[in-house]
Amino acid sequence: MALTPRHTPPDDRPRTSRPTPPSAAQANEAIRAFVDAQAGQDWSSVESAAYEVLLIEWAAATRGVTGDIIEAA
């Protein structure tokens, strides 16, 4: 039995790059700006969820960072 190679069609679709995640400093600044903008107001569930996303981005940005201590807002 002879084996023949499979030919796959070329993938001509343009490749999209993923957005670069923010640095820890950028994520921290986004948190500060968000909290400052909401100062003195009760947060809606949407605002709380947005804040949580910012915290997750900050945590991801700080993984593996050595040296300087970075504090969340």
Side-chain angles (χ1 to χ4, degrees):
M1 174 165 101
L3 298 176
T4 57
R6 292 185 186 182
H7 294 284
T8 57
D11 187 5
D12 292 336
R13 291 177 290 166
R15 302 213 184 258
T16 57
S17 61
R18 292 184 180 174
T20 305
S23 69
Q26 291 169 323
N28 193 39
E29 184 55 37
I31 291 169
R32 288 182 190 278
F34 184 85
V35 170
D36 287 347
Q38 306 305 322
Q41 301 176 22
D42 290 334
W43 290 13
S44 70
S45 59
V46 172
E47 290 165 334
S48 294
Y51 178 72
E52 186 173 344
V53 168
L54 291 172
L55 289 179
I56 291 168
E57 288 176 353
W58 175 83
T62 60
R63 284 195 193 117
V65 173
T66 56
D68 294 344
I69 297 174
I70 300 171
E71 296 180 15

